[in-house]
Amino acid sequence: MSVLPNDSLKLQRPAESGPYRNDRSVEKTYIDKTYRWNRERYSRRRRTFDIWSFVLQLLASSWLNGKTWSYLGGKTPARAAARRRAQASWIRESILELGPTFIKVGQLFSTRADILPVEYVEELAKLQDKVPAFSYEQVEKIILQDSGKPVHELYRSFDPIPLAAASLGQVHKAQLHSDEEVVVKVQRPGLKQLFEIDLAILKSIAYYFQNNPPDWAQGIDWLGIYEECYKILYEEIDYLMEGQNADLFRRNFRAFNWARIPRVYWRYTFPRVLTLEYVPGIKISHYEALDAAGIDRKLMANRGAEAYLRQLLNDGFFHADPHPGNIAVSPEGELIFYDFGMMGRIKPITREKLMDTLFGIAQKDAERVMNSLTELGALAEVEDMGPVRRSIQYMLDNFMDRPFEDQSVDAIIDDLYEVAYGRPFRFPATFTFVMRAFSTLQSVGKGLDPEFNFMEVAKPFAMEIMTNGNSSEDNSLFGELSRQAVQVGSTALGLPRRIEDTLDKLERGDLRVRVRSTETDRLIRRLSSVNMGTNYTLLIGAFTLSATILLVNHYWWLALVVALAAALVAVALIRLLIRLDRFERMM
């Protein structure tokens, strides 16, 4: 699977009706705040200081969050979650301050529920990069450098005020000499230089985390994550690739007259300049405007879900960011799609493995689901897969007993994140983009039609796939016996290989047998606490004796410092005794 996430910039911002408004007050939106990175040339030394300051503050606050004594009134799950939410909000604001590279990296990490707690994932998913626009003189310079022609030779008219500005570029409305109206996306100046500086610093950070991982980052391939970010970020700034994505997406929907995708004008498209057909429409979340235009909102909700399911299940090429800003409705009732930089691909072999996962889910077979996820690379093998298998079985038992159409996409996603975090799940970015897209389409559909349920719309597609996948199987008793015979035969044939693998693990010392005794564990914890209490008592005695000697010899300040140390150890001893008392009651 591969995802090519792009700037959250909207290539065409649909007005509530008719064409875009050229309201020059829009300009104020982009000049309210300035950023240090918003320039053509960058200081490597300054960037290094800013980035490492952010990383060190993050490490310090994460370390503090793990310490019980840092919570007033004691650490509780609610207080820990509240602190994580506050920290996640600070991270999002800091990322905006650090600029385009980190906005993109933040958006990528918002897909890594296997690495970050759900509070961080949700906050990073909110990253919006409305930033100051760059000047029209810089726009003219970039177009001239890429095309070799001035703006007036390429376009009959070109609005100097951008329709929208984001971290990687901004969009202007224009008109070709053939009278066709277009929108022109122009890349931010100096972006490549900024990427080179930031990625070099990020590489050193990745090496640091790889060699000195904090407690929450154990077992993560940080260099692999860096290589993924490096590849995606440089693909981000190639507008020729985005144009190819738009063309492919347009071809996939050419047979559907209810879908509209803007055409790419290749004569006016270059590595840093993308020219697209101007296709105005009503934003899909402007419900009153849709009603005024006589649009069937229920039909639009179903078509939106159908369009996405066709992309995912039929084409293997899907829009990875179908939020309301990227979808509009024409007065004729056509769905209009914008912004083709964030696209996902699913290879045929991956789709087959996903099918195996789907069959395992339908059969409530946790072993089959676990094996297929391992083959997909979504699950890393560990020594003890028992807890992972039990987590998967819990998910299957929890959701499959309820009617399919009554299930909530958001609830399923939240539980998936909870199961994934802290276990060897390694969700590919595409998987999380699909889940997020499902959730977004569910909320958009609910706004259009209060009775809309994405799972209900998806059911016919899922049933069709299941039927096709099992078309050769018979549902009769003979068919069931045949399936059981095939399964037993497959298990028997695979048994020698499994025995050989087990013997190999024994020879290598990779196979371990662990025996746990609850009573023994409790006694060991109690003995450990008693030993710690003894140490505290000895420390208090030593500190008290030292303070007394210093006081007798008139070393007042040193005596006070040592006395304070004795008081702190005494507090720790009292807390330990309280815990021991609670432990005795539990016994």
Side-chain angles (χ1 to χ4, degrees):
M1 296 185 184
S2 64
V3 172
L4 310 176
N6 190 35
D7 213 341
S8 61
L9 177 66
K10 286 68 178 176
L11 290 183
Q12 289 124 333
R13 181 187 298 165
E16 292 193 358
S17 62
Y20 291 100
R21 295 166 294 180
N22 291 326
D23 186 355
R24 293 183 178 269
S25 65
V26 171
E27 187 177 17
K28 186 178 183 299
T29 306
Y30 307 113
I31 62 177
D32 283 344
K33 185 171 183 179
T34 58
Y35 294 92
R36 223 178 2 243
W37 55 263
N38 187 30
R39 58 187 70 181
E40 288 191 60
R41 296 184 180 180
Y42 303 93
S43 166
R44 184 179 297 270
R45 187 175 301 172
R46 183 70 199 189
R47 292 295 296 174
T48 302
F49 176 80
D50 288 344
I51 292 167
W52 272 105
S53 295
F54 164 71
V55 172
L56 293 175
Q57 287 182 68
L58 177 60
L59 288 174
S61 60
S62 298
W63 175 83
L64 194 64
N65 288 349
K67 302 302 177 183
T68 305
W69 52 263
S70 69
Y71 294 84
L72 293 175
K75 183 178 179 180
T76 64
R79 288 185 179 128
R83 189 177 285 188
R84 285 197 301 269
R85 282 193 294 271
Q87 186 184 43
S89 180
W90 170 80
I91 290 172
R92 180 172 58 82
E93 293 299 324
S94 300
I95 283 174
L96 288 174
E97 293 287 345
L98 288 172
T101 312
F102 286 83
I103 291 171
K104 299 297 108 184
V105 171
Q107 290 172 348
L108 285 174
F109 269 91
S110 72
T111 70
R112 298 305 300 264
D114 53 321
I115 297 177
L116 302 176
V118 65
E119 293 88 357
Y120 292 67
V121 170
E122 290 175 351
E123 195 67 29
L124 290 176
K126 300 175 186 175
L127 270 174
Q128 298 292 327
D129 54 353
K130 284 186 177 180
V131 298
F134 49 94
S135 69
Y136 178 63
E137 288 73 20
Q138 291 172 308
V139 171
E140 289 183 309
K141 184 179 178 181
I142 291 171
I143 292 175
L144 179 62
Q145 289 174 344
D146 274 32
S147 68
K149 296 180 180 180
V151 171
H152 65 84
E153 286 189 20
L154 293 173
Y155 307 98
R156 172 175 292 174
S157 64
F158 194 100
D159 191 345
I161 305 299
L163 292 172
S167 59
L168 297 189
Q170 62 193 38
V171 169
H172 295 259
K173 185 180 176 183
Q175 186 180 47
L176 301 177
H177 289 286
S178 58
D179 293 335
E180 293 169 289
E181 291 189 327
V182 295
V183 288
V184 184
K185 182 177 179 181
V186 184
Q187 192 177 112
R188 187 171 290 275
L191 203 58
K192 188 174 181 181
Q193 181 198 5
L194 181 65
F195 276 11
E196 289 173 353
I197 294 172
D198 287 356
L199 287 169
I201 300 169
L202 281 172
K203 189 171 187 178
S204 65
I205 293 171
Y207 271 113
Y208 174 82
F209 276 107
Q210 192 77 19
N211 297 323
N212 307 280
D215 294 339
W216 54 270
Q218 298 285 339
I220 298 173
D221 183 11
W222 290 102
L223 291 176
I225 292 173
Y226 166 78
E227 293 296 336
E228 178 186 0
C229 292
Y230 182 94
K231 177 177 177 290
I232 290 175
L233 283 171
Y234 274 101
E235 288 175 346
E236 283 276 345
I237 56 177
D238 185 358
Y239 286 175
L240 295 176
M241 180 175 291
E242 184 174 340
Q244 292 169 0
N245 291 339
D247 268 358
L248 177 57
F249 196 83
R250 191 165 182 261
R251 286 196 299 272
N252 289 344
F253 277 92
R254 62 180 178 270
F256 302 95
N257 57 9
W258 46 264
R260 180 87 180 273
I261 293 87
R263 181 164 65 95
V264 180
Y265 289 86
W266 286 107
R267 286 182 59 189
Y268 309 93
T269 295
F270 312 97
R272 294 186 295 170
V273 180
L274 176 63
T275 303
L276 288 167
E277 178 185 8
Y278 174 66
V279 185
I282 305 169
K283 190 174 181 178
I284 199 164
S285 58
H286 287 179
Y287 309 125
E288 293 180 1
L290 291 172
D291 291 337
I295 303 296
D296 187 341
R297 286 164 53 178
K298 183 175 182 178
L299 179 63
M300 290 299 103
N302 289 333
R303 279 183 175 173
E306 180 184 347
Y308 190 79
L309 290 165
R310 288 191 180 278
Q311 295 167 45
L312 186 66
L313 302 178
N314 295 348
D315 304 329
F317 182 74
F318 61 94
H319 198 301
D321 193 21
H323 62 77
N326 285 338
I327 306 175
V329 182
S330 73
E332 294 77 25
E334 301 168 313
L335 275 181
I336 307 169
F337 292 91
Y338 305 126
D339 199 344
F340 306 98
M342 188 181 286
M343 307 299 291
R345 294 178 184 271
I346 300 180
K347 298 177 181 178
I349 187 170
T350 303
R351 187 173 180 273
E352 291 177 11
K353 292 174 182 177
L354 283 171
M355 290 294 301
D356 199 32
T357 305
L358 187 61
F359 294 144
I361 292 172
Q363 296 166 3
K364 292 189 181 181
D365 187 345
E367 185 76 27
R368 185 173 183 179
V369 172
M370 187 175 70
N371 292 336
S372 61
L373 288 175
T374 303
E375 291 177 3
L376 278 168
L379 183 61
E381 287 193 82
V382 293
E383 292 179 4
D384 185 6
M385 297 294 286
V388 180
R389 186 185 298 105
R390 288 192 292 273
S391 297
I392 294 172
Q393 192 65 58
Y394 169 79
M395 288 285 296
L396 297 176
D397 293 340
N398 189 38
F399 288 108
M400 297 305 293
D401 288 338
R402 287 183 287 165
F404 188 76
E405 59 273 10
D406 291 344
Q407 297 183 35
S408 164
V409 171
D410 291 332
I412 293 174
I413 292 171
D414 288 343
D415 280 352
L416 278 174
Y417 286 172
E418 289 292 336
V419 169
Y421 183 61
R423 291 186 173 84
F425 287 95
R426 296 291 179 266
F427 290 152
T430 300
F431 177 88
T432 317
F433 274 114
V434 170
M435 291 294 100
R436 186 187 301 169
F438 281 163
S439 179
T440 302
L441 288 169
Q442 170 82 7
S443 61
V444 170
K446 279 285 188 184
L448 291 168
D449 174 21
E451 298 181 359
F452 174 81
N453 188 307
F454 184 82
M455 301 297 285
E456 189 174 2
V457 177
K459 185 176 181 179
F461 287 88
M463 293 303 297
E464 181 181 350
I465 290 175
M466 296 282 287
T467 302
N468 292 339
N470 286 321
S471 58
S472 60
E473 298 182 5
D474 187 3
N475 290 326
S476 63
L477 177 62
F478 180 75
E480 180 61 29
L481 290 173
S482 299
R483 285 193 292 275
Q484 294 289 342
V486 169
Q487 186 175 1
V488 170
S490 176
T491 303
L493 289 172
L495 188 59
R497 180 182 60 79
R498 294 175 66 183
I499 293 173
E500 186 177 351
D501 290 343
T502 303
L503 291 174
D504 288 340
K505 288 181 178 179
L506 279 171
E507 290 175 358
R508 293 194 304 266
D510 293 340
L511 192 64
R512 300 177 184 176
V513 178
R514 295 193 302 176
V515 179
R516 278 188 73 180
S517 170
T518 305
E519 293 299 324
T520 302
D521 289 345
R522 287 179 179 176
L523 287 173
I524 289 173
R525 285 199 300 271
R526 186 176 184 279
L527 284 173
S528 177
S529 298
V530 170
N531 288 334
M532 186 64 71
T534 304
N535 294 335
Y536 283 159
T537 304
L538 290 173
L539 281 173
I540 292 169
F543 283 142
T544 304
L545 181 60
S546 300
T548 303
I549 294 171
L550 290 169
L551 187 62
V552 169
N553 289 280
H554 304 290
Y555 291 103
W556 307 100
W557 288 108
L558 286 176
L560 180 61
V561 170
V562 176
L564 286 174
L568 289 173
V569 177
V571 170
L573 177 61
I574 291 169
R575 294 182 63 180
L576 181 63
L577 291 174
I578 292 172
R579 282 209 308 270
L580 277 173
D581 182 61
R582 290 176 181 171
F583 182 80
E584 292 292 342
R585 292 176 184 176
M586 290 174 62
M587 294 287 287

